[in-house]
Amino acid sequence: MKELLYQKAKEIGIELDSHQLDQFEHYYHILIETNKVMNLTAITDEEEVIDKHFIDSLSVVRCMDLEKAECLIDVGTGAGFPGIPLKIVFPHLKVTLLDSLNKRVNFLNQVINELMFDKINAVHARAEDAARDRTMREAYDLCVSRAVADLSVLCEYCLPFVKVGGTFVSYKSKGAADEVKKASKAIKVLGGGQADQYPFELPGTDLSRTLVRIEKTLSTPRKYPRKAGTPSKTPIR
């Protein structure tokens, strides 16, 4: 596994050291073992996990210099993607992993403990509630999300966490251009600026991916996010 991961990471400009490779391998084994008793991912083949979870998570380097970021929140992190791979590669980052399912948060805490991370925590909460916490609202340089949701909805979940001058990056499949167009009002209302798109082919797969990078230019109005469940039912249009 280590040699394959090393080579694939190098293809996107990341050189992993032996400690980082050990951490990725350990993470993979915890993921696969836990997945036998809890549904974390449908992808379990070693090479597929490398391509579709690890390398995909790290692909944010195509549009961001993470060495310049200090604190990151991963909204709807699930099994820890992209937050844990980013923490492994950029250990200086202060990371918050946010998920609404307590079982997944327990899994994330196991990973955090076994990989002996510092400056990282897993939070059990819905994004709409967490973004109203004074310690989390507009507290992050960078928000990332691979969550499967419409971009208009994701903006309401994610932009309230981002500092003015910070960035939100959404991991999307092809068809992102249409989502960006439909989300234009939501982006503006929530304090976002221009939405830049970075399309690419995920190496080793036939998947077309797009990173949507949105800069936070103004503070998010206090009434957002709306109460839990509302953004997904009635997106800002």
Side-chain angles (χ1 to χ4, degrees):
M1 177 187 196
K2 292 179 185 177
E3 182 61 30
L4 185 61
L5 176 57
Y6 178 84
Q7 292 300 333
K8 287 178 178 285
K10 199 170 182 180
E11 287 177 27
I12 61 169
I14 294 171
E15 189 137 354
L16 299 172
D17 62 30
S18 59
H19 177 60
Q20 290 167 329
L21 290 167
D22 286 343
Q23 287 183 308
F24 272 112
E25 186 175 56
H26 194 165
Y27 180 26
Y28 172 74
H29 289 305
I30 303 169
L31 176 71
I32 297 308
E33 283 305 306
T34 307
N35 202 60
K36 292 175 183 176
V37 295
M38 182 170 70
N39 183 25
L40 291 168
T41 177
I43 299 166
T44 56
D45 174 77
E46 187 176 277
E47 187 167 359
E48 276 199 286
V49 169
I50 290 172
D51 290 334
K52 296 179 181 178
H53 283 325
F54 295 167
I55 298 301
D56 187 44
S57 292
L58 297 176
S59 294
V60 70
V61 299
R62 296 174 182 271
C63 72
M64 286 286 300
D65 181 358
L66 267 74
E67 295 292 353
K68 294 180 179 177
E70 291 182 12
C71 49
L72 172 154
I73 184 167
D74 177 5
V75 173
T77 186
F81 304 116
I84 288 176
L86 293 175
K87 177 64 178 176
I88 292 173
V89 176
F90 302 97
H92 72 280
L93 287 171
K94 183 178 179 182
V95 173
T96 297
L97 305 171
L98 183 71
D99 200 85
S100 61
L101 190 64
N102 199 44
K103 286 195 297 183
R104 287 196 289 257
V105 171
N106 290 337
F107 163 75
L108 296 169
N109 280 322
Q110 179 188 355
V111 174
I112 288 167
N113 291 332
E114 292 198 25
L115 270 59
M116 294 185 287
F117 285 138
D118 61 2
K119 298 190 295 184
I120 182 170
N121 67 317
V123 176
H124 173 223
R126 293 186 66 142
E128 302 100 315
D129 299 324
R132 294 197 168 277
D133 183 321
R134 276 188 244 173
T135 65
M136 298 177 73
R137 189 177 181 88
E138 298 195 333
Y140 298 90
D141 304 312
L142 175 61
C143 176
V144 291
S145 184
R146 282 175 90 221
V148 180
D150 181 82
L151 186 61
S152 300
V153 178
L154 279 177
C155 284
E156 189 165 354
Y157 291 160
C158 294
L159 279 170
F161 290 108
V162 181
K163 296 175 181 176
V164 174
T167 307
F168 165 44
V169 177
S170 175
Y171 292 61
K172 287 289 180 184
S173 56
K174 61 183 179 180
D178 186 49
E179 280 196 53
V180 169
K181 190 174 180 181
K182 289 179 181 176
S184 59
K185 182 178 178 181
I187 293 167
K188 184 176 180 180
V189 164
L190 295 161
Q194 182 173 317
D196 294 317
Q197 299 171 58
Y198 298 80
F200 65 97
E201 299 296 315
L202 188 60
T205 76
D206 57 358
L207 299 177
S208 297
R209 303 287 279 149
T210 300
L211 298 167
V212 180
R213 173 179 165 160
I214 301 169
E215 302 300 323
K216 180 82 171 275
T217 57
L218 296 168
S219 189
T220 301
R222 290 180 64 84
K223 69 177 182 177
Y224 297 107
R226 292 165 292 169
K227 68 180 182 179
T230 304
S232 59
K233 290 174 185 172
T234 55
I236 301 168
R237 294 284 196 228

